């Protein structure tokens, strides 16, 4: 008998099972001898589809054809000799390889399988559930090796997945046909038999997640959980769909409450998982879940953010595009932090892709607003916005840019991340992992004919030096810095190695800012301020030293009565109360308090001789700068906020 040397070049032909049952038989009962065969002919013999004589005859025919300079695969010869059918050949090839490419043309997916994957998910991700056997779900995919999608589907369905590759061009029509055929199934069908979109199905319940509050879903989750002796894996298996809806609901409610962050804090059992929202700068308790759901909760968020769900020892960061999960177009920046006993906390920052506020709506006083507009209309120079993390620096920068964003200016921005988008800007997301840093972006911008450059943060000496060089060569440069006050920003930049002469020539202005909560206009209450209260505020307003004397305090109170008082000189101060509109907090929204320092000749001389922040501050005050606290007290007198907010956000 000739040697079996043919390796069959047409091994990737797809199989066309007639029923899901025949497909499952093919998957679940592969012939062990077929899988170990070295050649296709041997596999056909082990399958019992051909005889040794038929194989010998076909091999002899193949050898004769090769001697004549041509040759056909052994399988094709056997089919033409009527020793086996084309379908038999395809099934043996698939079993031999252990990999299947399925044509779903004649398959009718089972309702139980379709009910596990909502139609929107199936169409978006090109996935077709076919059948369920025991705890296994067989499904067709465009890419059966997509690990991220498999993790998400595994969590969504709580089944062991058997992914198969669909024949090219067959998946989309098969998905449409499968979900359309059964769209009219009765709403009273038992659970597990309903299709996505049918009333009462898991998909329909998922679509109503916005209507169900997170508190209701948390209660459902607890009610459906097994007893306290059950394992946490059992909990996930029984409550996964409700948990998915719960997380979506928490994010939706955070958006509705204008929250900037979601904090998920896990504790060792029996302590509950705590979820808090940061609203107007303060953390507010939102929801508590049983400790048994802590691992599933974190795992689900990791799947949404394309993180490694098996890694618990190292921090991870990622992003969630919430629109992929049926929510509004909001991006969330996700950070996981390992804590004690193998647990993890999660913080999600909401990046809503908001539009910039008008410059006159960020809380600048009329004098500061006028000066700021003059500074940013200069053709070149450096303008800095400084303050701690989360104080609204990026919002202020975009408000400034929106004021000068005209058709006659080319404006480049480098940000991490891009939180606010504007038409007309050329915005770039930096990525330090690939070397695309702020400094690299600055160097590129300078070759791209800019008029205005916004750099997200001057983090290091290289970025700061390039920014100053750009501002000295005919470009207006805007950036942020993490410092406490405007004078301290100068000292910080000199400390990291900037040339004081270039820096002094480039600097136009530094705006320091903080955010304070606005009093709710619906419930705030006015009281008449007495002299003792006003003199105490004046003491907080004036700097310490000889300038803070009884006479200067009395003169300041008189000025306040004149500027902010009624006709008879009475001054009203407002205090918070709490109502339904502000959810009982007494505050609604936030506003900025500012400290604007302009670079004049005295400031430039201080920079050149590396003067201390105290000397620079005295020079700026002499030139008319209002400190953060002074600007805040002015806003207290206007009834916009109260003294506790200003004192908490500012130093003298």
């Amino acid at each position: 008998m000739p040697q079996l040397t043919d390796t069959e070049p047409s091994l990737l032909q797809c199989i066309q099972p007639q029923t899901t049952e025949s497909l499952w038989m093919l998957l679940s009962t592969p012939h062990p001898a077929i899988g170990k065969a070295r050649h296709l002919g041997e596999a056909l013999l082990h399958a019992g589809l051909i005889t040794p004589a038929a194989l010998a005859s076909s091999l002899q025919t193949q050898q004769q054809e090769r001697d004549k300079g041509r040759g056909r695969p052994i399988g094709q010869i056997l089919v033409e000799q009527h020793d086996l059918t084309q379908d038999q050949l395809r099934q043996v090839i698939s079993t031999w390889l252990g990999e299947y490419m399925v044509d779903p043309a004649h398959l009718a997916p089972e309702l139980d399988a379709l009910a596990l994957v909502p139609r929107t998910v199936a169409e978006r991700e090109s996935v077709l559930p076919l059948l369920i056997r025991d705890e296994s779900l067989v499904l067709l995919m465009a890419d059966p090796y997509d690990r991220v999608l498999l993790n998400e589907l595994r969590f969504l369905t709580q089944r062991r997945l058997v992914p198969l590759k669909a024949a090219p061009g067959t998946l989309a029509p098969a998905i449409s046909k499968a979900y359309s055929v059964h769209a009219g199934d009765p709403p009273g069908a038992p659970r597990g038999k309903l299709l996505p979109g049918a009333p009462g199905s898991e998909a329909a319940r998922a679509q109503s997640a916005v209507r169900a509050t997170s508190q209701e879903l948390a209660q459902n989750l607890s009610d459906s959980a097994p007893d306290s002796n059950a394992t946490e894996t059992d909990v996930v298996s029984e409550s996964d769909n409700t948990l998915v809806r719960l997380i979506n609901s928490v994010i939706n409610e955070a958006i509705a409450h204008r929250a900037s962050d979601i904090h998920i804090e896990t504790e060792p059992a029996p302590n509950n998982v705590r979820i808090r929202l940061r609203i107007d700068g303060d953390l507010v308790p939102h929801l508590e879940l049983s400790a048994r759901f802590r691992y599933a909760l974190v795992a689900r968020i990791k799947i949404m953010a394309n993180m490694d769900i098996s890694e618990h020892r190292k921090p991870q960061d990622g992003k969630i595009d919430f629109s992929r999960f049926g929510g509004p177009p909001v991006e969330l920046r996700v950070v996981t932090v390992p804590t004690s006993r193998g647990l993890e906390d999660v913080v999600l920052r909401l990046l809503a892709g908001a539009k910039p506020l008008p410059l006159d709506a960020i809380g600048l006083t009329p004098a500061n607003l006028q000066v700021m507009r003059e500074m940013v209309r200069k053709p070149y120079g450096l303008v800095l916005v400084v303050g701690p993390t989360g104080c609204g620096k990026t919002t202020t920068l975009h408000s400034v840019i929106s004021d000068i964003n005209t058709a006659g200016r080319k404006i480049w921005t480098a940000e991490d991340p891009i939180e606010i988008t504007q038409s007309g800007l050329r915005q770039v997301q930096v990525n330090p992992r690939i070397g695309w840093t702020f400094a690299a972006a600055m160097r590129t911008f300078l070759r791209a004919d800019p008029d205005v450059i916004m750099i997200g943060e001057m983090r290091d000496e290289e970025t700061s030096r390039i920014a100053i060089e750009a501002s000295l060569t005919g470009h207006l440069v805007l950036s942020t810095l993490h410092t406490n006050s405007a004078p301290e920003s100068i000292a910080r930049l000199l400390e990291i190695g900037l040339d004081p002469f270039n820096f002094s020539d480039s600097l136009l202005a530094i705006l320091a800012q903080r955010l304070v909560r606005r009093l709710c206009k619906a419930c705030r209450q006015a009281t008449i301020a007495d002299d003792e209260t006003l003199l105490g505020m004046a003491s907080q307003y004036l700097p310490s030293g000889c300038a803070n004397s009884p006479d200067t305090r009395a003169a300041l109170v008189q000025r306040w009565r004149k500027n902010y008082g009624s006709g008879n000189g009475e001054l009203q101060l407002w205090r918070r109360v709490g109502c339904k509109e502000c959810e009982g907090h007494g505050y609604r929204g936030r506003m900025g308090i500012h400290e604007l320092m302009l670079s004049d000749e005295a400031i430039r001389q201080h920079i050149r001789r590396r003067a201390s922040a105290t000397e620079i501050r005295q020079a700026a005050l002499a030139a008319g700068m209002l400190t953060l606290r002074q600007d805040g007290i002015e806003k207290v007198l206007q009834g916009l906020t109260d003294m506790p907010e200003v004192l908490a956000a500012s130093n003298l």
Side-chain angles (χ1 to χ4, degrees):
M1 180 184 292
Q3 294 295 312
L4 296 173
T5 57
D6 183 46
T7 55
E8 186 63 50
S10 58
L11 297 180
L12 296 181
Q13 298 182 73
C14 69
I15 59 174
Q16 293 180 294
Q18 299 300 306
T19 65
T20 55
E21 193 62 40
S22 64
L23 175 62
W24 178 248
M25 290 296 294
L26 183 65
L27 295 173
S28 60
T29 57
H31 196 295
I34 294 176
K36 295 179 181 178
R38 293 177 299 166
H39 309 285
L40 177 60
E42 185 179 348
L44 291 168
L45 279 175
H46 288 313
L49 295 177
I50 61 172
T51 64
L55 177 59
S57 173
S58 62
L59 286 172
Q60 186 175 7
T61 302
Q62 186 185 54
Q63 188 62 48
Q64 291 172 354
E65 291 180 352
R66 284 178 177 170
D67 292 341
K68 296 178 182 179
R70 54 188 285 259
R72 290 177 296 164
I74 190 70
Q76 184 179 347
I77 294 173
L78 287 166
V79 171
E80 290 186 1
Q81 291 179 353
H82 304 290
D83 291 315
L84 76 164
T85 66
Q86 189 71 42
D87 285 343
Q88 289 173 328
L89 175 63
R90 287 173 176 168
Q91 294 213 6
V92 171
I93 289 174
S94 300
T95 304
W96 182 36
L97 292 178
E99 296 182 0
Y100 302 90
M101 181 184 291
V102 179
D103 183 350
H106 302 293
L107 291 177
E110 298 177 358
L111 294 182
D112 289 10
L114 289 172
L116 290 177
V117 181
R119 179 171 185 164
T120 53
V121 175
E123 291 177 341
R124 185 182 69 231
E125 305 294 353
S126 294
V127 173
L128 177 61
L130 291 177
L131 64 138
I132 299 173
R133 292 297 180 273
D134 299 325
E135 291 299 315
S136 298
L137 171 65
V138 179
L139 67 169
L140 291 185
M141 301 176 63
D143 180 8
Y145 301 103
D146 186 338
R147 181 179 61 83
V148 173
L149 179 56
L150 287 172
N151 282 340
E152 184 173 339
L153 291 170
R154 194 174 292 112
F155 192 94
L156 175 67
T157 62
Q158 288 301 303
R159 294 292 192 277
R160 185 178 70 84
L161 300 183
V162 182
L164 304 175
K165 184 172 181 60
T170 63
L171 198 49
I175 292 172
S176 177
K177 176 183 176 182
Y179 282 95
S180 299
V181 165
H182 303 288
D185 277 4
R191 183 178 176 182
K193 298 293 183 182
L194 291 171
L195 284 175
S201 71
E202 291 298 333
R205 285 192 287 273
Q207 291 167 2
S208 66
V210 175
R211 293 190 293 273
T213 67
S214 58
Q215 284 81 4
E216 293 170 347
L217 291 168
Q219 186 61 49
N220 293 341
L221 196 62
S222 298
D223 292 344
S224 63
D227 58 41
S228 58
N229 295 322
T231 64
E232 294 185 19
T233 303
D234 292 332
V235 175
V236 174
S237 176
E238 294 188 14
S239 310
D240 58 297
N241 287 316
T242 304
L243 185 63
V244 169
R245 295 169 57 212
L246 170 66
I247 294 172
N248 291 349
S249 180
V250 168
I251 296 174
N252 276 311
E253 289 173 5
I255 295 169
H257 285 84
R258 303 170 290 106
S260 60
D261 302 87
I262 303 171
H263 291 250
I264 299 174
E265 300 161 347
T266 59
E267 298 282 354
N271 297 320
N272 290 337
V273 178
R274 182 169 62 166
I275 300 177
R276 296 192 288 172
L277 307 181
R278 188 175 293 280
I279 302 174
D280 294 337
D282 275 9
L283 280 174
V284 178
H286 180 68
L287 185 66
E288 287 195 3
L289 281 175
S290 171
R292 68 181 70 203
F293 305 112
R294 59 188 184 273
Y295 295 115
L297 188 66
V298 174
R300 170 60 185 170
I301 293 173
K302 284 184 176 181
I303 289 170
M304 294 173 73
N306 295 335
M307 294 178 176
D308 184 357
I309 63 172
S310 64
E311 179 58 68
H312 306 286
R313 300 169 299 170
K314 297 190 299 185
Q316 298 184 64
D317 60 86
K319 291 182 180 178
I320 296 173
D321 179 2
F322 194 43
S323 62
R324 289 187 65 240
F325 302 93
V330 173
E331 188 175 72
L332 296 98
R333 187 167 55 189
V334 184
V335 176
T336 65
V337 183
T339 57
S340 61
R341 303 189 187 182
L343 300 176
E344 294 175 279
D345 279 13
V346 183
V347 179
L348 302 92
R349 168 155 289 191
L350 281 73
L351 310 174
K355 298 302 177 185
L357 295 172
L359 186 57
D360 54 8
I362 65 173
L364 289 169
T365 63
N368 283 346
L369 177 62
Q370 180 182 351
V371 173
M372 194 65 178
R373 280 188 163 140
E374 291 174 0
M375 292 296 105
V376 298
R377 280 180 169 79
K378 291 184 179 291
Y380 58 88
L382 176 67
V383 176
L384 297 175
V385 179
V386 304
T389 301
C391 72
K393 298 186 295 295
T394 301
T395 301
T396 296
L397 276 184
H398 273 279
S399 297
V400 168
I401 288 177
S402 70
D403 210 55
I404 59 174
N405 184 10
T406 62
R409 284 190 177 91
K410 182 62 174 283
I411 303 176
W412 287 99
T413 78
E415 304 170 69
D416 185 23
I418 297 174
E419 299 182 33
I420 299 173
T421 57
Q422 288 193 55
S423 175
L425 301 190
R426 310 312 303 152
Q427 296 180 262
V428 168
Q429 168 78 54
V430 301
N431 187 353
R433 294 179 180 175
I434 62 172
W436 184 233
T437 61
F438 284 121
M442 284 289 294
R443 285 192 293 268
T444 303
F445 291 168
L446 290 175
R447 297 192 294 269
D449 188 28
D451 294 303
V452 180
I453 297 173
M454 188 194 99
I455 194 78
E457 184 183 346
M458 291 170 61
R459 293 178 176 172
D460 50 48
E461 186 271 339
E462 183 183 15
T463 306
S464 304
R465 177 177 50 78
I466 297 172
I468 288 174
E469 290 175 359
S471 67
L472 291 172
T473 54
H475 308 96
L476 179 65
V477 178
L478 310 172
S479 187
T480 70
L481 198 64
H482 286 94
T483 52
N484 289 324
S485 67
E488 289 177 26
S489 305
I490 293 174
R492 174 73 57 82
L493 289 172
L494 292 176
E495 285 173 5
I496 67 175
L498 294 186
D499 179 75
F501 289 91
N502 286 342
F503 182 30
S504 64
D505 289 341
S506 67
L507 184 64
L508 294 176
I510 301 177
L511 180 71
Q513 76 174 46
R514 299 288 189 279
L515 291 179
V516 296
R517 291 180 291 179
R518 288 179 179 268
L519 290 171
C520 175
K521 293 184 178 180
C523 63
R524 63 177 183 173
Q525 285 187 355
T527 58
I528 303 299
D530 55 30
D531 287 339
E532 183 179 354
T533 301
L534 292 174
L535 288 172
M537 291 175 60
S539 180
Q540 295 282 357
Y541 187 96
L542 294 169
S544 58
C546 59
N548 195 341
S549 65
D551 290 341
T552 55
R553 290 196 290 270
L556 180 60
V557 169
Q558 288 302 315
R559 179 171 71 81
W560 287 346
R561 290 187 182 278
K562 179 180 178 181
N563 293 341
Y564 302 109
S566 59
N568 57 7
E570 287 186 342
L571 258 177
Q572 284 186 333
L573 295 179
W574 300 82
R575 65 181 184 88
R576 68 187 183 101
V577 178
C579 65
K580 186 176 294 186
E581 285 195 24
C582 61
E583 299 180 357
H585 301 306
Y587 302 103
R588 183 171 176 81
R590 290 191 289 178
M591 62 181 298
I593 58 174
H594 303 93
E595 177 178 282
L596 180 59
M597 186 183 78
L598 304 179
S599 179
D600 55 17
E601 187 57 34
I603 298 295
R604 285 192 287 271
Q605 289 297 332
H606 282 307
I607 295 174
R608 289 166 187 162
R609 63 182 182 83
R610 297 180 181 272
S612 66
T614 301
E615 293 179 88
I616 297 173
R617 181 173 181 273
Q618 293 300 328
L621 289 172
M625 180 187 79
L626 288 180
T627 65
L628 289 165
R629 180 162 294 183
Q630 289 171 341
D631 188 56
I633 291 175
E634 297 280 348
K635 290 179 169 65
V636 169
L637 295 169
Q638 297 171 39
L640 301 176
T641 187
D642 56 16
M643 279 299 293
E645 282 291 299
V646 172
L647 295 178
S650 63
N651 295 321
L652 280 174

